[in-house]
């Protein structure tokens, strides 16, 4: 490990308990910064309501840490929107944001568009499939941004059990993302959960970053933030254990392909043919191929979008 990373681990890796809530709230009041929480959601009616309810109760009613809680529904066919609204979240539909630009499927697309419907100085993203959710996931990663002006982006770190097996979740992280980062961006080798969906950042940083539209958004954001803001502007906070729905091996393969493509673009920054990934499933006549396109499109920095510029000027 680079000496720079060892130093970073000792100065930019914290626990959620390192900053008590009263200290975070005092910093928020002193600096006047506002906080938006965004939950990107697609068919998450089983969990999105519980997450929204905990944030509303713990961080909006009991204490005024979160100013805005927004669920962006990216086309759910279940009751995600109704459940989220009943729990007190503001629900916005992806296709209603920036309608002149047709939406494409993908998590990164939803996160990018969320910048147009939130106003917080700090934006906190939380996946909508978490179980046994704790508000520490929000306060823990928002805390450093409110108390330390030198920090621009904070990732949550946690244990990820796979069923009864402790620490065996995050298979794409261990098999794809971590090797890529260690080989090509060794300054980022200290991140425990580089692909984790829980992170917070200053709007002033997010609006300058391109957003891969799909699963590559977290890796792309880390790499681009490193180049734009530097390693010392990045941090991570231990929030305990993350429990969520796990995907099957083929879905993870498609995720890994998108992440590899995101890395490839950042290494080459050139024109590359849109790739595809062929996987196999056993059918009645043996193994049958299934070919999927790999997410390659990226949205430009939000600060370049006319509607966003107009909103900032208003």
């Amino acid at each position: 490990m680079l000496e720079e990373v060892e130093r970073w681990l000792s100065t930019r890796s914290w626990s959620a308990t390192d900053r008590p809530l009263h200290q975070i709230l005092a910093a928020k009041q002193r600096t006047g910064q506002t906080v938006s929480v965004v939950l990107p959601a697609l068919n998450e009616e089983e969990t999105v309501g519980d997450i929204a309810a905990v944030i509303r109760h713990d961080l909006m009613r009991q204490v005024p840490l979160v100013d805005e809680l927004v669920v962006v529904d990216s086309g759910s066919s279940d009751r995600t929107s109704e459940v989220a609204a009943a729990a007190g979240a503001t629900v916005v539909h992806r296709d209603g944001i920036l309608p002149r630009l047709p939406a494409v499927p993908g998590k990164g697309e939803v996160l990018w568009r969320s910048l147009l419907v939130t106003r917080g100085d700090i934006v906190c993203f939380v996946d909508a499939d978490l179980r046994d959710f704790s508000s520490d996931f929000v306060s823990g990663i928002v805390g450093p941004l409110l108390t330390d002006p030198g920090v621009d982006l904070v990732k949550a770190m946690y244990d990820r059990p796979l069923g009864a097996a402790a620490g065996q979740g995050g298979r794409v992280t261990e098999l794809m993302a971590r090797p890529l980062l260690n080989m090509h961006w060794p300054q980022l080798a200290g991140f425990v959960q580089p692909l984790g969906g829980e992170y917070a950042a200053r709007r002033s940083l997010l609006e300058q970053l391109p957003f891969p539209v799909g699963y590559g958004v977290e890796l792309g954001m880390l790499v681009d933030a490193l180049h734009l803001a530097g390693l010392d502007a990045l941090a991570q906070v231990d929030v305990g254990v993350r429990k969520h729905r796990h995907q099957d091996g083929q879905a993870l393969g498609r995720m890994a392909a998108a992440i590899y493509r995101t890395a490839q673009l950042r290494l080459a920054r050139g024109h590359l043919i849109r790739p595809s990934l062929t996987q196999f499933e056993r059918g009645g006549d043996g193994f049958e191929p299934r070919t999927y396109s790999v997410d390659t499109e990226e949205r430009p920095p939000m600060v370049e979008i006319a509607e966003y510029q107009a909103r900032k000027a208003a």
Side-chain angles (χ1 to χ4, degrees):
M1 182 177 291
L2 296 176
E3 183 177 332
E4 180 182 8
V5 176
E6 291 182 351
R7 178 194 56 76
W8 178 85
L9 281 169
S10 66
T11 60
R12 285 291 187 262
S13 291
W14 299 295
S15 167
T17 59
D18 289 338
R19 290 175 175 80
L21 194 53
H22 68 83
Q23 178 184 345
I24 298 172
L25 288 168
K28 183 178 189 290
Q29 184 176 18
R30 183 175 64 253
T31 61
Q33 296 177 91
T34 54
V35 177
S36 298
V37 176
V38 173
L39 276 66
L42 177 62
N43 295 328
E44 302 294 358
E45 66 175 343
E46 293 185 6
T47 51
V48 68
D50 291 339
I51 297 170
V54 169
I55 295 171
R56 285 277 300 171
H57 177 268
D58 292 1
L59 303 179
M60 299 180 80
R61 291 177 181 152
Q62 286 199 330
V63 298
L65 179 63
V66 173
D67 300 281
E68 185 177 39
L69 173 59
V70 177
V71 171
V72 183
D73 190 329
S74 58
S76 297
S77 58
D78 65 2
R79 296 181 60 252
T80 289
S81 291
E82 294 88 339
V83 171
T90 298
V91 178
V92 183
H93 292 271
R94 176 200 62 193
D95 296 349
I97 307 170
L98 200 61
R100 71 169 175 84
L101 197 63
V104 297
K107 178 184 177 182
E109 176 84 351
V110 175
L111 301 184
W112 182 72
R113 289 176 185 258
S114 76
L115 296 181
L116 262 168
V117 292
T118 55
R119 293 191 173 274
D121 302 305
I122 294 168
V123 182
C124 176
F125 299 120
V126 177
D127 281 350
D129 66 342
L130 302 188
R131 301 183 184 278
D132 301 330
F133 178 76
S134 164
S135 57
D136 287 346
F137 273 72
V138 174
S139 59
I141 58 178
V142 166
L145 293 161
L146 289 170
T147 59
D148 190 335
V151 175
D152 288 338
L153 184 149
V154 182
K155 297 278 293 188
M157 57 177 167
Y158 31 66
D159 296 315
R160 295 184 69 180
L162 181 61
Q168 294 303 304
R171 290 161 287 174
V172 175
T173 293
E174 299 304 330
L175 296 175
M176 175 60 70
R178 200 176 308 286
L180 280 171
L181 292 175
N182 275 264
M183 287 187 290
H184 299 295
W185 298 280
Q187 287 178 295
L188 298 174
F191 277 94
V192 175
Q193 297 292 351
L195 300 185
E198 292 69 48
Y199 48 99
R202 300 191 191 281
R203 177 176 295 272
S204 57
L205 173 65
L206 292 172
E207 66 186 14
Q208 297 182 70
L209 300 177
F211 276 61
V213 298
Y215 285 123
V217 63
E218 275 84 24
L219 183 132
M221 189 177 295
L222 262 189
V223 171
D224 294 338
L226 173 68
H227 289 298
L228 189 63
L231 182 60
D232 281 342
L234 314 181
Q236 60 185 349
V237 172
D238 188 349
V239 296
V241 178
R242 183 187 198 267
K243 298 179 182 178
H244 66 112
R245 183 187 66 251
H246 291 282
Q247 302 194 54
D248 62 34
Q250 292 205 329
L252 296 178
R254 297 190 290 275
M255 185 185 301
I259 290 164
Y260 178 76
R261 170 63 170 179
T262 299
Q264 184 185 42
L265 286 172
R266 278 151 182 77
L267 290 168
R269 294 294 183 185
H271 177 74
L272 298 171
I273 296 174
R274 181 178 177 88
S276 60
L277 174 71
T278 299
Q279 298 176 318
F280 293 87
E281 298 177 9
R282 185 181 289 280
D285 297 321
F287 286 102
E288 300 174 357
R290 300 283 187 272
T291 299
Y292 303 87
S293 62
V294 175
D295 294 323
T296 59
E297 188 170 351
E298 298 199 3
R299 295 302 192 187
M302 185 56 79
V303 75
E304 297 177 7
I305 301 299
E307 289 88 339
Y308 188 79
Q309 295 173 3
R311 195 192 73 164
K312 289 190 73 176

